[in-house]
Amino acid sequence: MHRPRKEMIAETRAKLITAARHAFGTIGYAEASMDDFTASAGLTRGALYHHFGDKKGLLQAVIAEIDGEMAARVNEAAALAPTRWQHFVDECTTYIEMALEPEIQRIMFRDGPAVLGDPAQWANANACAASITNHLTRLQEEGVVVADLDPETAARLINGASSQASQRIANSQDPEATSKKVVAAFKQLLEGLLKKD
């Protein structure tokens, strides 16, 4: 019985992403051999080139997958917050704290920026900035944050700060200690947005 071509393509892509994610997460992008992970997926280098163009394209696909998972986890954690402000703070800090996880640390915050450049230019950056802008706009409408704040500009600054914070943790000799300092400083930065009575 023949399976639909679309299904076979999706399966091939998923196998390559899974194999690459494992390799990038354990030995890193530079050390990961295309031949090794295509072989571990039971595929050829040609399949990789066909679906992703090259190793860098595959890294982008892996990052997109991890980013989607991170977004879901951030939303899940923040959903428990009692107020919109706390939801916003929890969303931002949960994202930063994920830099403690070895796979995320290596792929998203060390190899990703080294290979793909500034995370603010990645495809997912606009979605993050849009989400933060939406939160800030709503918080402003509720009178929680200062009225003269430009939500979009502030969102881009917060997005950049969270990216830098995560990279600092990922590249630290002591990620746990650095995370505590970074999260405390980040929360202080956010508190500067609050409207003073």
Side-chain angles (χ1 to χ4, degrees):
M1 190 166 102
H2 288 295
R3 290 188 303 152
R5 180 169 160 69
K6 206 173 183 179
E7 192 179 300
M8 290 167 60
I9 289 170
E11 184 181 316
T12 299
R13 283 182 59 85
K15 280 182 182 178
L16 284 166
I17 289 171
T18 300
R21 182 172 174 170
H22 176 74
F24 297 157
T26 53
I27 59 173
Y29 179 84
E31 299 300 316
S33 153
M34 290 195 291
D35 290 330
D36 288 345
F37 57 69
T38 51
S40 76
L43 299 163
T44 64
R45 212 184 244 233
L48 184 151
Y49 291 131
H50 175 74
H51 291 282
F52 302 101
D54 57 12
K55 187 177 169 185
K56 198 171 173 180
L58 186 51
L59 176 63
Q60 288 172 315
V62 168
I63 283 175
E65 180 177 89
I66 294 172
D67 185 64
E69 292 168 9
M70 289 173 72
R73 288 174 56 195
V74 159
N75 291 335
E76 196 176 298
L80 305 172
T83 65
R84 188 182 310 283
W85 172 255
Q86 193 57 52
H87 179 106
F88 175 62
V89 172
D90 290 353
E91 235 179 49
C92 293
T93 55
T94 299
Y95 177 85
I96 293 168
E97 288 168 340
M98 283 189 226
L100 288 169
E101 298 174 28
E103 180 189 58
I104 290 172
Q105 194 176 91
R106 183 185 292 262
I107 296 172
M108 297 296 288
F109 301 121
R110 288 207 303 255
D111 288 351
V115 176
L116 304 175
D118 179 10
Q121 304 305 315
W122 294 1
N124 65 339
N126 285 333
C128 291
S131 174
I132 296 170
T133 300
N134 182 46
H135 276 301
L136 291 174
T137 301
R138 291 168 75 185
L139 286 163
Q140 200 172 43
E141 288 165 356
E142 292 174 7
V144 176
V145 300
V146 292
D148 60 351
L149 177 79
D150 176 45
E152 187 178 351
T153 300
R156 297 223 173 251
L157 293 171
I158 291 165
N159 194 32
S162 65
S163 179
Q164 286 294 310
S166 301
Q167 288 177 55
R168 180 165 160 72
I169 295 165
N171 291 297
S172 171
Q173 294 298 317
D174 186 352
E176 287 283 343
T178 301
S179 178
K180 286 182 176 70
K181 289 180 199 168
V182 163
V183 169
F186 192 83
K187 283 181 177 177
Q188 281 183 302
L189 274 176
L190 292 183
E191 281 166 17
L193 301 172
L194 289 170
K195 190 174 177 182
K196 307 289 183 272
D197 290 329

